[in-house]
């Protein structure tokens, strides 16, 4: 007797939907907000353990959202489209600019397994010893630890590294192998001026919002990744498998980055768009970027 392989969409459907009482009820007290954010993080933890979830792709897309928030906090105008261009269309010797560098910091922090060494590589200019000291500043429950690290770093470092390290502290406390960018996209600029219990409350609120959005994104990317894997056997290019693997792990890919000659890479991307497996992200006729 043979059994059909479970549909990853239906398998992911239930845990990806946070209970309505945790996402629709307006929490007023600190205890309620902390309870609801814990429920959202618990659901996200469960989803991140699922093999069918394209976790590297999810982290990379969340990193883009975090970078967009941090760039906005600094008063710069760049948004997701400009950030993608800044990092994916760089030529050898070009500099990404301040906004692009923020985006690169988030991507580097999320792509490697979490460690002080990896964070130092992601945040050039900050000594590993200083990173270790900041991460040790957090004590208590996961969100409390993240808030304490955020408060400690902000007095000495720019906001983007502070939020990267706060998410790193959260991941450490939750036992996650990688940084999952969550806090920046949920916080407001005014929240970054808060301290103590006020900052902890803001972090709980931010994580409730961001975790729910991350769950929705995980479900969407899982569906899209499953479709991309399903159409891969239809591709004739010799390096199509390697190209698909890149698309399954990165928010966006330029054809020139694929392990194919330029014309073959562009044809492959157009073929995948025709198959509904990837999207062209820029809306341009040239200098295009593609993503799941």
């Amino acid at each position: 007797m043979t059994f059909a392989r479970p549909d990853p969409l239906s398998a992911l459907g239930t845990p990806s939907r946070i209970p309505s009482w945790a996402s629709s009820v307006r929490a007023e007290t600190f205890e309620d907000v902390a309870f609801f954010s814990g429920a959202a993080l618990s659901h996200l933890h469960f989803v991140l353990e699922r093999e069918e979830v394209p976790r590297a792709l999810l982290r990379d897309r969340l990193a883009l959202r975090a970078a967009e928030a941090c760039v906005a906090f600094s008063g710069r105008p760049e948004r997701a489209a400009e950030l993608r261009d800044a990092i994916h269309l760089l030529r050898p010797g070009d500099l990404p600019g301040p906004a692009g560098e923020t985006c690169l910091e988030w991507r580097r922090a999320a792509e490697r397994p979490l460690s002080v060494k990896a964070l130092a590589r992601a945040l050039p200019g900050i000594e590993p010893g200083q990173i270790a000291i900041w991460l040790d500043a957090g004590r208590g429950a996961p969100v409390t630890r993240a808030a304490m690290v955020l408060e400690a770093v902000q007095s000495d470092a720019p906001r983007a590294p502070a939020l990267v390290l706060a998410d790193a502290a959260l991941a450490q406390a939750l036992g996650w192998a990688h940084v999952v960018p969550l806090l920046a996209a949920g916080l407001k600029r005014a929240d970054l001026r808060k301290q103590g219990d006020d900052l902890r409350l803001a972090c709980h609120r931010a994580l409730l919002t961001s975790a729910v959005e991350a769950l929705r994104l995980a479900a969407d990317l899982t569906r899209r990744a499953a479709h991309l894997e399903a159409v891969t056997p239809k591709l004739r290019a010799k390096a199509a498998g390697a190209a698909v693997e890149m698309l399954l792990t990165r928010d966006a890919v330029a054809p020139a980055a694929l392990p194919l000659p330029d014309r073959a890479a562009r044809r492959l991307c157009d073929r995948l768009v025709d198959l509904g497996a990837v999207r062209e992200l820029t809306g341009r006729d040239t200098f295009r970027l593609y993503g799941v």
Side-chain angles (χ1 to χ4, degrees):
M1 179 180 293
T2 60
F3 295 91
R5 183 180 177 183
D7 180 356
L9 308 188
S10 61
L12 186 63
T14 300
S16 69
R17 296 195 187 102
I18 188 168
S20 60
W21 51 261
S23 59
S24 62
V25 175
R26 180 172 176 80
E28 299 292 346
T29 68
F30 185 96
E31 291 77 10
D32 286 346
V33 176
F35 180 77
F36 292 150
S37 72
L41 287 172
S42 177
H43 272 67
L44 182 58
H45 181 90
F46 183 81
V47 168
L48 291 175
E49 291 184 328
R50 305 293 288 265
E51 290 297 327
E52 64 267 33
V53 176
R55 289 166 285 190
L57 174 58
L58 174 64
R59 293 195 306 272
D60 203 34
R61 192 146 294 172
L62 290 173
L64 177 68
R65 292 185 177 185
E68 186 178 31
C70 289
V71 168
F73 290 154
S74 68
R76 296 190 62 87
E78 293 91 345
R79 294 299 178 261
E82 291 84 6
L83 293 175
R84 282 182 172 131
D85 284 354
I87 61 176
H88 292 292
L89 300 180
L90 279 178
R91 296 177 180 178
D94 286 350
L95 297 175
E101 187 57 41
T102 296
C103 193
L104 286 173
E105 287 176 351
W106 276 105
R107 294 187 73 225
R108 290 190 295 249
E111 70 183 356
R112 295 176 180 271
L114 176 57
S115 69
V116 170
K117 183 178 180 180
L119 289 170
R121 205 178 289 123
L123 304 171
I126 303 179
E127 293 295 326
Q130 182 61 68
I131 290 174
I133 290 171
W134 278 329
L135 291 179
D136 286 342
R139 294 287 186 274
V143 180
T144 297
R145 287 175 62 175
M148 291 176 70
V149 170
L150 178 58
E151 186 172 348
V153 180
Q154 281 196 120
S155 62
D156 301 318
R159 283 174 179 165
L163 288 161
V164 169
L165 294 173
D167 271 326
L170 180 71
Q172 277 186 334
L174 293 170
W176 293 348
H178 292 79
V179 173
V180 180
L182 293 172
L183 277 166
L187 288 168
K188 299 178 175 61
R189 185 183 303 189
D191 292 332
L192 300 176
R193 296 190 292 269
K194 296 176 180 177
Q195 296 179 330
D197 288 345
D198 289 338
L199 181 58
R200 281 200 298 146
L201 178 60
C203 287
H204 277 295
R205 290 190 187 281
L207 288 168
L208 174 56
T209 300
S210 293
V212 170
E213 288 303 313
L215 287 164
R216 292 171 181 161
L217 181 59
D220 179 56
L221 291 179
T222 299
R223 286 191 292 270
R224 293 178 180 275
H227 181 51
L228 176 55
E229 291 176 328
V231 305
T232 298
K234 300 179 181 180
L235 306 175
R236 297 179 179 178
K238 290 184 179 179
V244 167
E245 184 60 29
M246 291 179 67
L247 287 161
L248 286 171
T249 57
R250 302 185 186 185
D251 162 68
V253 175
L258 297 176
L260 292 162
D262 185 57
R263 289 184 63 185
R266 284 187 276 113
R267 284 198 302 267
L268 175 65
C269 290
D270 289 341
R271 172 67 170 152
L272 289 171
V273 171
D274 291 340
L275 291 169
V278 302
R279 296 169 294 163
E280 200 287 309
L281 301 171
T282 69
R284 298 186 296 244
D285 293 330
T286 58
F287 301 106
R288 290 181 161 188
L289 299 173
Y290 297 84
V292 172

